[in-house]
Amino acid sequence: MMMEPVACFEDEEFMPMHEDDLVAAVGEALDTNCSDEDLLVGTTIPRSFFGTRRQGFSLKSYVKRLYQYLECSKSVFVTALIYLERIRLANPSNRLTDFNVHRMFSTAILLALKYHDDEHYSNSYYAEVFGMRGLNEINHLEAKMLTMLEFRLGVTEKEYTYCKNHLMRTQIRLSAHSLVEFNATNMVISAA
């Protein structure tokens, strides 16, 4: 059996993306794939990933916070989305919700960061940045997600390119939408 080539993340210049664009696109991707219901029927996502309430801040704000404090490569964010997609594909009932998206995404980020980047902080630091209760919680979630991914953290070039292209298309759509809103606002101001 021939294995697909694993993506080389050292040089992302062949598909560059500004950090603000990446943050916006990742936030949008999470938002789009997130249900507003606390769906537990048929899911294999452990209950420990579910919070008791919705977070009071946007996913884009959360992604921006992570990008600011983690000091990791951009490929970590793309890879984290791939991990979440693998979990969804393993069981269609495994959906992101307003109640689990923050813990699911931050744990996927943690795994991707440890897999890709040579230098990283302690899990205590990550627990603080992610807004978790402490070291025990982050260690528990890390172990659970590794099991859900069947310890398969390598990402193929095909998976990475597909996900990055999707993020780039999302950002183009967001930029076009912002431009239309900007032009509409200017037209209203000019007419006044």
Side-chain angles (χ1 to χ4, degrees):
M1 180 169 112
M2 187 171 209
M3 294 187 63
E4 288 189 52
V6 175
C8 176
F9 302 101
E10 295 300 317
D11 181 17
E12 293 185 358
E13 290 305 311
F14 72 99
M15 294 176 74
M17 202 168 183
H18 187 271
E19 61 195 52
D20 292 338
D21 294 339
L22 177 71
V23 166
V26 169
E28 179 70 14
L30 290 170
D31 227 4
T32 300
N33 290 299
C34 196
S35 169
D36 61 351
E37 299 175 30
D38 187 9
L39 303 169
L40 290 173
V41 179
T43 186
T44 57
I45 296 173
R47 185 73 183 144
S48 51
F49 281 98
F50 288 81
T52 56
R53 61 181 170 78
R54 289 177 172 91
Q55 296 298 324
F57 45 85
S58 72
L59 287 169
K60 183 180 175 185
S61 298
Y62 188 64
V63 173
K64 186 174 185 171
R65 172 186 166 80
L66 297 184
Y67 190 86
Q68 179 182 357
Y69 288 102
L70 296 180
E71 299 178 14
C72 60
S73 64
K74 294 174 186 174
S75 61
V76 166
F77 288 83
V78 178
T79 301
L81 291 176
I82 293 168
Y83 292 165
L84 295 178
E85 180 64 7
R86 285 180 182 173
I87 290 168
R88 188 191 66 78
L89 289 173
N91 178 351
S93 296
N94 288 344
R95 290 187 223 114
L96 293 177
T97 72
D98 291 339
F99 296 93
N100 71 13
V101 66
H102 293 84
R103 284 186 181 92
M104 290 290 290
F105 182 65
S106 59
T107 306
I109 284 280
L110 178 67
L111 295 178
L113 196 146
K114 288 182 174 183
Y115 185 80
H116 285 296
D117 292 359
D118 293 332
E119 296 179 21
H120 46 81
Y121 298 105
S122 68
N123 273 12
S124 296
Y125 175 78
Y126 293 127
E128 189 176 322
V129 171
F130 296 153
M132 293 184 182
R133 289 184 288 269
L135 189 59
N136 287 340
E137 181 181 21
I138 198 167
N139 288 343
H140 172 76
L141 295 178
E142 181 180 19
K144 290 291 185 185
M145 187 168 282
L146 277 168
T147 302
M148 289 171 22
L149 291 167
E150 298 176 343
F151 292 83
R152 205 181 101 211
L153 299 181
V155 172
T156 66
E157 189 173 332
K158 182 178 178 180
E159 287 175 305
Y160 186 84
T161 303
Y162 178 83
C163 187
K164 185 85 179 260
N165 278 331
H166 178 74
L167 290 174
M168 293 173 89
R169 285 191 309 274
T170 298
Q171 185 50 39
I172 290 168
R173 185 177 46 76
L174 290 173
S175 296
H177 181 72
S178 295
L179 184 59
V180 167
E181 284 180 352
F182 175 75
N183 286 335
T185 303
N186 282 343
M187 290 168 77
V188 169
I189 292 170
S190 297

